[in-house]
Amino acid sequence: MNNQTADINVIYERFRRVGNAIGRINANNTHSGNITMRDPENPDIFYITATGAQCGSLVLRDIVPIRFSSVSWGDARGSTESTIHRRILSLPGVNAG
């Protein structure tokens, strides 16, 4: 299994751009919804916005890495919907949500 992960700064920049776009078109209120994506380097990792993160004003610490293969104490920082996102991202061909 690949233990390398993508550069968190690259992931953050992608999340920030998407979050800003969502905010510009008023598709989200201040705290609803999440952004999530698979790690392009490690198939066992996905990233999700932290609980309470504002998609249009993300900071680096708002991006939480989560494992597909196990649940860890660090998962508590991720959205309370991490389990649903884990399942959705497990579907064939789904890489972001």
Side-chain angles (χ1 to χ4, degrees):
M1 177 177 285
N2 181 0
N3 289 325
Q4 291 290 107
T5 59
D7 180 344
I8 190 66
N9 293 303
V10 172
I11 301 297
Y12 163 69
E13 185 57 29
R14 289 180 183 175
F15 272 60
R16 191 188 65 73
R17 285 192 317 239
V18 169
N20 286 341
I22 290 169
R24 278 195 306 274
I25 63 169
N26 295 319
N28 188 337
N29 69 27
T30 59
H31 291 86
S32 67
N34 300 291
I35 302 172
T36 185
M37 71 173 278
R38 291 178 164 277
D39 185 296
E41 303 292 327
N42 186 334
D44 191 42
I45 301 286
F46 71 97
Y47 300 90
I48 192 164
T49 46
T51 296
Q54 295 181 1
C55 289
S57 301
L58 294 172
V59 295
L60 186 60
R61 70 179 176 272
D62 289 333
I63 311 308
V64 181
I66 306 280
R67 291 199 174 276
F68 280 102
S69 62
S70 62
V71 176
S72 70
W73 289 107
D75 290 1
R77 278 193 49 241
S79 166
T80 56
E81 297 170 355
S82 294
T83 301
I84 293 167
H85 285 265
R86 179 184 277 118
R87 180 69 183 125
I88 292 168
L89 290 169
S90 294
L91 297 171
V94 178
N95 293 312

